[in-house]
Amino acid sequence: MSAAAPNTPAQLPEFKQVMGHPRPLWMLFMTEFWERFAFYGMRWALALYIVAEFFGGDSSGEAHASRLYGAYLALVYAAALFGGYVADRVIGYQRSILIGAVVMAVGLFMVVVPNETVFRIGLATIIAGNGLFKPNISTMVGQLYAPGDERRDSGFTLFYMGINAGAFIAPILTGYLAEHMFGGSSAMPAYKAVFIASGLGMLISLIWFWFGRARLQGIGKPIAGSEGLAKPLMVAVGVVVAIPLIFFLLTIEASLLAWILGVLFLALCVLILREGFQDGAVARDKALAMLIIFAFNVLFWMFFEQAGSSFNFLAQNIVQRDFGGWTFPVGWFQSVNSLAIISLAPVIAWIWVRLGRANPSIPRKFGLGIIFNGLAFLLLMVALSSMVDPQTMKIPFWTLFMVYVIQSVGELCLSPIGLSMVTKLAPVRLVGFGMGGWFLSTAIGNNLSGIFAGVISGEGGMTVASAHSGYTFGFWVLIGAGVLLFLIAPLIQKLMHGVK
């Protein structure tokens, strides 16, 4: 009999089944729905708000806003490393989620304050809370199913739908509120409505989990002997201490943060490779294959995450959004990705099954993901070079809409298999560090996305020429990386020793 996962009873409780799955899955589904509502509800507005509030709407602030956005997103992913450890070894998953939800809610309400220092402290607080919340609720979904339970994958698929449902609704609702509350308009949204709505969403998530956690019947509780309040208080103090450190990382140059994240990543790679060498040739080869794919993962997210930075400025200034007196809100573009994921995920899954033995290998699926990302940039290249209206200096609405759709196809080729790949390739004793490598590679890509978006905007703000130049560079890098990955896929597959 295999050992139980940390913070999980040795024998699973007899859960009541709802629609063929354990009843607590639906409680976790809605908890995550509201947390993602909070996260994505304010994500679209961050860079735009920074320019509007702290630069008086001057486009010279776009580069600064993009770099700060990239740093924020990078640290959100990096914080997940520490949050997973705290849940595993210190206070359990339930308490980690509760503390994380409280901290995130506080941070979301702090960013409402129109003061740049308070705003950055609020972002640091959100990062600290998200680190405790995000990785641990996903882990608990897996703990609802016994090892070998064939429903596990479909359970995660349903949970993933909750994530995307929250991410789809949030920008639409918060974008609407920003234009209709506190004197906001399409020309000048009231961004505090966005942050208030997101904070309320996080409170709903907290309340939902607080009252629903009894259904878990012990899943995710602290390990025996740690049920008291001493350790949660210690973690709370740790969060308070961590927030100034995160605040500091948000204030340094994005390039310096990139070096810090890079050093952490290299140290992680050394540990993983050393363990792989000690475990023999097969383990060594698998670890090396995983690290190669991590490098390509950095590139994917560097360009994919233009969604929250340069694509917003593109939508605001260079995309035709007027439809007979009604203006399509900038924030609504952020919902296209989630809508495409929900619509296309079953199609992509069907294609993989239909291909059977011709199903692409993991490296080639990653390559397809990167190439589709590149094709999205190709569409922008064409639009910015040959579809600009000479009267308005704007490109057609449908072009940016389709960019999000094409990127979503790339995401579906790459993202769902990432974490699964890590569990199959990482050295047995360092799977946690392997997950850390995945999160860190994503974090590095997110930070680089902010730096790249800042280059596109330059000192004076985004123009048609600067956008065309930047997105052309993005296209060639992505297509080159995707083709390279396709070419070396057989070598990587050989290093994987039969892992599919």
Side-chain angles (χ1 to χ4, degrees):
M1 181 180 292
S2 61
N7 308 306
T8 305
Q11 185 173 356
L12 284 175
E14 290 292 331
F15 291 121
K16 181 179 179 181
Q17 303 297 299
V18 177
M19 295 178 64
H21 288 272
R23 187 182 180 192
L25 173 68
W26 304 102
M27 183 274 293
L28 295 177
F29 175 101
M30 289 306 301
T31 301
E32 179 71 349
F33 171 92
W34 285 109
E35 186 273 336
R36 289 291 90 182
F37 174 92
F39 186 83
Y40 283 97
M42 57 91 73
R43 171 178 172 264
W44 72 266
L46 276 181
L48 298 172
Y49 171 75
I50 292 167
V51 173
E53 184 64 40
F54 305 127
F55 289 85
D58 193 319
S59 56
S60 64
E62 290 179 8
H64 172 84
S66 293
R67 289 191 291 266
L68 180 55
Y69 168 79
Y72 161 76
L73 210 59
L75 292 171
V76 162
Y77 277 89
L81 302 176
F82 303 99
Y85 177 85
V86 167
D88 251 343
R89 306 298 181 187
V90 184
I91 60 172
Y93 297 106
Q94 288 191 26
R95 288 177 167 184
S96 292
I97 290 168
L98 289 170
I99 294 174
V102 171
V103 174
M104 278 188 73
V106 170
L108 285 163
F109 286 115
M110 286 181 71
V111 297
V112 177
V113 179
N115 176 281
E116 189 166 7
T117 300
V118 176
F119 175 77
R120 287 176 184 260
I121 295 172
L123 290 182
T125 305
I126 295 169
I127 291 166
N130 194 266
L132 286 170
F133 188 105
K134 179 59 180 169
N136 297 316
I137 193 164
S138 301
T139 301
M140 289 187 66
V141 171
Q143 293 178 355
L144 297 177
Y145 300 89
D149 191 328
E150 294 181 352
R151 299 174 301 164
R152 180 188 295 264
D153 285 349
S154 62
F156 269 105
T157 299
L158 289 169
F159 184 71
Y160 193 59
M161 296 293 280
I163 293 173
N164 282 284
F168 169 70
I169 292 172
I172 295 175
L173 180 57
T174 58
Y176 177 84
L177 293 176
E179 294 187 3
H180 294 85
M181 291 185 66
F182 304 112
S185 65
S186 59
M188 183 55 67
Y191 292 109
K192 65 180 179 180
V194 174
F195 303 137
I196 291 171
S198 297
L200 291 173
M202 196 64 238
L203 287 178
I204 294 173
S205 177
L206 169 63
I207 294 168
W208 200 284
F209 186 77
W210 175 267
F211 286 104
R213 72 191 196 283
R215 297 179 183 176
L216 293 166
Q217 300 182 46
I219 298 290
K221 280 192 172 182
I223 57 177
S226 301
E227 295 88 351
L229 294 177
K231 288 188 176 181
L233 288 174
M234 180 179 70
V235 170
V237 171
V239 168
V240 172
V241 172
I243 288 172
L245 173 60
I246 300 171
F247 172 81
F248 168 75
L249 293 174
L250 286 171
T251 60
I252 64 176
E253 285 292 327
S255 56
L256 179 57
L257 178 59
W259 279 105
I260 293 171
L261 293 173
V263 169
L264 284 174
F265 182 69
L266 286 175
L268 206 66
C269 291
V270 169
L271 285 172
I272 290 171
L273 278 177
R274 188 177 68 176
E275 185 74 14
F277 272 94
Q278 291 175 352
D279 288 350
V282 173
R284 175 202 64 202
D285 290 350
K286 288 182 178 180
L288 186 58
M290 181 179 70
L291 296 179
I292 292 171
I293 291 178
F294 281 173
F296 286 94
N297 190 52
V298 169
L299 281 177
F300 179 86
W301 294 107
M302 173 181 174
F303 295 102
F304 183 90
E305 271 303 336
Q306 296 306 302
S309 51
S310 74
F311 286 0
N312 270 339
F313 295 121
L314 184 76
Q316 184 181 57
N317 303 319
I318 304 178
V319 174
Q320 175 57 256
R321 297 182 290 116
D322 295 326
F323 296 93
W326 176 74
T327 302
F328 185 89
V330 171
W332 287 17
F333 279 108
Q334 301 292 313
S335 293
V336 178
N337 171 249
S338 297
L339 178 62
I341 293 291
I342 294 170
S343 303
L344 297 176
V347 177
I348 299 296
W350 176 83
I351 290 173
W352 298 148
V353 173
R354 186 70 175 173
L355 286 172
R357 297 185 66 178
N359 196 355
S361 63
I362 288 175
R364 286 200 163 143
K365 283 180 179 175
F366 264 75
L368 282 171
I370 292 171
I371 288 171
F372 271 106
N373 201 357
L375 292 176
F377 280 79
L378 176 62
L379 177 55
L380 285 176
M381 282 173 55
V382 174
L384 290 164
S385 62
S386 60
M387 298 184 190
V388 179
D389 187 321
Q391 301 296 322
T392 63
M393 295 304 292
K394 293 184 176 182
I395 61 176
F397 169 87
W398 70 266
T399 56
L400 184 57
F401 185 96
M402 287 307 300
V403 162
Y404 280 99
V405 173
I406 297 168
Q407 279 196 322
S408 299
V409 175
E411 182 185 0
L412 285 168
C413 291
L414 179 145
S415 189
I417 64 172
L419 294 178
S420 175
M421 174 202 71
V422 171
T423 62
K424 297 172 183 176
L425 296 179
V428 176
R429 290 186 296 275
L430 290 182
V431 174
F433 276 100
M435 291 293 185
W438 173 262
F439 282 121
L440 267 182
S441 66
T442 304
I444 292 169
N446 289 335
N447 187 55
L448 291 175
S449 75
I451 296 173
F452 175 64
V455 171
I456 293 175
S457 290
E459 295 301 320
M462 181 183 290
T463 63
V464 170
S466 69
H468 180 261
S469 175
Y471 295 145
T472 299
F473 172 79
F475 164 73
W476 286 113
V477 171
L478 286 166
I479 291 299
V483 170
L484 175 62
L485 188 51
F486 251 79
L487 292 175
I488 65 173
L491 171 62
I492 299 174
Q493 195 64 39
K494 185 177 180 180
L495 291 171
M496 293 169 66
H497 290 275
V499 169
K500 298 184 182 298

